[in-house]
Amino acid sequence: MRISELSTRTGVAIPTIKYYLREGLLHSGEQVAATRAEYDDSHLRRLRLIRALLEVGRLPVAAIKKIIEAVEDESLPVHNLLGTAQYALGPVVEPEPGAEWQAARAQVDRLIEERGWSVAAEAPARNELTQTLVRLRQLGLSTDLTPYAAAAQRLVSEVEMDTIPFDGPRETAVEAMVLGTVLFGRAFDTLRRLAHESESAHRLLLRPPPS
Amino acid sequence: MRISELSTRTGVAIPTIKYYLREGLLHSGEQVAATRAEYDDSHLRRLRLIRALLEVGRLPVAAIKKIIEAVEDESLPVHNLLGTAQYALGPVVEPEPGAEWQAARAQVDRLIEERGWSVAAEAPARNELTQTLVRLRQLGLSTDLTPYAAAAQRLVSEVEMDTIPFDGPRETAVEAMVLGTVLFGRAFDTLRRLAHESESAHRLLLRPPPS
């Protein structure tokens, strides 16, 4: 198909598609004439991936680029590929100096070990979680993350992983993983806010009058 | 305390504190001399709130301002206050034209009704969830959000709400709710990515050889 059809079918404006082509987020079409390139289903899929990561995942273009480079690097084994894609999803959090950070980081490492999770020592999510714990502690909020870890493990192992086609082409597996992480993550966050609104309505507006 | 001590105790630079004062995110100190203002614990708390919302919640300054205005508007009943704060936490998502959006929005409304949640018809999270559903469908991913809704409800009603001091001062309740939403949301998202890494390691690296 031509770039105009690609634009109509994905809802992405032509100048934006050209920008993705220049930035290397989208692979080139097949040049069929001096001024015309032909695009196919792989371009449709890729544009939908980019749009979901941008709009729903609110990822910066640099992070999306890292994910796409990992998808395209055929020499990367699937597990490393998933790792790279996964690592690009979170922000980079630098450790802070001091004992407070060290204690929180030790708590994160202990939590991962207690759950029996296989997570690389250099996984950036360890520092990200450490930062959250430090802030929770500074603000006097609970730092018990056990119920959250249990809920995350249940959702990932019982629901999400079964939707990833590990035996198909590598690109399909990593796309499913990245999109699932971003979209279901956003869905869960929104559902939690809806549940908050409902619970606070019940507790504040609908509770029985004091006897 | 002076502004220099406020800066040392919160780790927020003096020019940044002055910026928050100008923007109305932080209330003024007590003017004790022409060039000197005195700050107290309420400023410490407020700065920690702003910092957590910015760094961990990654909220834009405009959203933080809305939350703080709601906290300071004494005429707002606590439930409305929680609603306003809650509504400022999510992005504003505009409905898209077309049947696809309408079908997804109907699915969102049905989900909320089936769970028995009390959520205002105008809650922005309804559109936010609709957008995620539309993207899931366009990308051929599962649109069954039931396990996520169940997990969200469990965490909110069994864990999070119990940490909110509804009977104390209104500022304390809304701070606890906003911070809990943001910080535990971030913690859960990070834990989910850790669980993903672990599950994919188990399925791809540690699985038994084919027989």
Side-chain angles (χ1 to χ4, degrees):
Chain A
M1 74 193 86
R2 286 168 181 243
I3 196 168
S4 53
E5 188 184 343
L6 192 61
S7 169
T8 312
R9 290 181 60 184
T10 55
V12 179
I14 293 178
T16 309
I17 297 180
K18 288 187 173 165
Y19 166 72
Y20 295 156
L21 285 165
R22 279 198 308 278
E23 287 293 313
L25 294 184
L26 185 66
H27 45 293
S28 305
E30 197 195 343
Q31 207 68 35
V32 291
T35 57
R36 203 188 133 200
E38 184 68 22
Y39 299 91
D40 59 27
D41 280 354
S42 70
H43 297 89
L44 272 182
R45 282 180 66 92
R46 174 63 56 83
L47 274 178
R48 286 185 181 136
L49 174 72
I50 295 170
R51 202 176 167 199
L53 295 175
L54 271 176
E55 283 181 10
V56 183
R58 297 185 172 80
L59 290 184
V61 169
I64 298 178
K65 202 164 171 180
K66 259 194 255 175
I67 292 171
I68 285 174
E69 279 167 1
V71 171
E72 290 184 339
D73 179 358
E74 302 273 344
S75 70
L76 227 53
V78 175
H79 177 65
N80 298 30
L81 172 57
L82 292 175
T84 309
Q86 192 71 316
Y87 289 179
L89 290 176
V92 175
V93 172
E94 296 297 331
E96 295 164 15
E100 204 173 16
W101 180 276
Q102 279 173 14
R105 172 64 195 244
Q107 187 183 337
V108 167
D109 293 343
R110 211 160 44 235
L111 177 77
I112 291 171
E113 200 186 322
E114 279 167 7
R115 299 216 76 83
W117 287 352
S118 305
V119 170
E122 72 275 14
R126 289 182 188 256
N127 275 345
E128 201 187 329
L129 193 56
T130 302
Q131 186 194 44
T132 305
L133 266 185
V134 168
R135 295 293 170 269
L136 285 169
R137 189 161 295 154
Q138 285 173 344
L139 291 153
L141 297 170
S142 160
T143 56
D144 178 15
L145 297 180
T146 316
Y148 294 89
Q153 183 164 10
R154 208 162 36 226
L155 280 175
V156 167
S157 67
E158 290 173 15
V159 182
E160 294 182 14
M161 277 291 156
D162 288 337
T163 68
I164 298 180
F166 281 113
D167 297 324
R170 57 201 290 289
E171 175 148 355
T172 315
V174 81
E175 270 188 28
M177 176 134 182
V178 167
L179 285 171
T181 303
V182 168
L183 293 171
F184 291 115
R186 172 70 51 183
F188 182 80
D189 188 63
T190 314
L191 287 162
R192 218 172 122 256
R193 277 185 282 120
L194 289 165
H196 267 157
E197 174 170 340
S198 174
E199 272 290 313
S200 86
H202 282 278
R203 297 199 185 198
L204 290 168
L205 301 176
L206 313 172
R207 63 181 166 191
S211 55
Chain B
M1 74 194 84
R2 288 167 180 243
I3 196 168
S4 52
E5 187 183 343
L6 192 60
S7 170
T8 311
R9 288 181 60 183
T10 56
V12 180
I14 292 177
T16 309
I17 296 179
K18 290 186 173 166
Y19 166 73
Y20 296 155
L21 286 165
R22 279 198 309 278
E23 287 294 312
L25 295 183
L26 185 66
H27 45 294
S28 304
E30 197 196 344
Q31 207 68 35
V32 290
T35 59
R36 200 185 136 202
E38 184 68 22
Y39 300 92
D40 58 27
D41 280 353
S42 71
H43 297 90
L44 270 183
R45 283 179 65 91
R46 174 64 56 82
L47 274 178
R48 287 187 180 134
L49 175 72
I50 296 170
R51 200 175 168 200
L53 294 175
L54 270 177
E55 283 180 11
V56 184
R58 297 184 173 79
L59 290 184
V61 169
I64 298 177
K65 202 165 173 179
K66 258 194 255 174
I67 292 170
I68 285 174
E69 279 166 2
V71 172
E72 291 184 340
D73 179 359
E74 301 273 344
S75 71
L76 227 51
V78 174
H79 177 64
N80 299 30
L81 172 58
L82 292 175
T84 309
Q86 191 72 315
Y87 290 180
L89 289 177
V92 175
V93 171
E94 295 298 332
E96 295 163 15
E100 204 174 14
W101 180 276
Q102 279 173 16
R105 171 64 194 243
Q107 189 184 334
V108 166
D109 293 343
R110 212 160 45 235
L111 176 77
I112 290 171
E113 201 185 322
E114 279 167 7
R115 300 217 74 85
W117 287 352
S118 306
V119 171
E122 71 276 13
R126 288 183 190 256
N127 274 345
E128 200 188 330
L129 193 56
T130 303
Q131 186 194 45
T132 305
L133 265 185
V134 168
R135 296 291 171 269
L136 284 169
R137 189 163 291 154
Q138 284 172 344
L139 291 154
L141 296 171
S142 160
T143 57
D144 178 16
L145 297 181
T146 316
Y148 293 89
Q153 184 163 8
R154 209 164 33 228
L155 280 175
V156 167
S157 67
E158 291 173 14
V159 183
E160 294 183 14
M161 278 290 157
D162 289 337
T163 67
I164 298 180
F166 282 113
D167 298 325
R170 56 202 291 291
E171 175 149 352
T172 314
V174 81
E175 270 187 26
M177 176 133 181
V178 167
L179 285 171
T181 303
V182 168
L183 292 171
F184 291 116
R186 173 70 49 183
F188 183 80
D189 188 63
T190 314
L191 285 162
R192 218 172 122 256
R193 278 184 281 119
L194 288 165
H196 267 157
E197 174 171 339
S198 174
E199 271 290 312
S200 86
H202 282 280
R203 296 199 187 198
L204 289 167
L205 301 177
L206 313 171
R207 64 182 165 191
S211 55

